[in-house]
Amino acid sequence: MLAAGGIATLDDLRAVMALAPHGVEGALIGRALYAGAFSLPQALTCAATST
């Protein structure tokens, strides 16, 4: 399952990552990247450090 929409900050991404035990395997973050809310390297670091 993918989370799509509503991911505007790294905190939102962390919140989605907390749903991994419930079957969420990924998130669409295109608009946040396009808007410059955070960078892809920042998102990847966030994903690697959120457990």
Side-chain angles (χ1 to χ4, degrees):
M1 179 180 346
L2 289 176
I7 301 168
T9 68
L10 291 175
D11 285 336
D12 294 336
L13 185 56
R14 286 182 194 96
V16 168
M17 293 184 64
L19 298 174
H22 302 286
V24 176
E25 298 175 333
L28 301 176
I29 59 170
R31 183 156 182 103
L33 292 175
Y34 178 74
F38 51 83
S39 67
L40 181 58
Q42 288 173 309
L44 293 173
T45 298
C46 177
T49 58
S50 294
T51 55

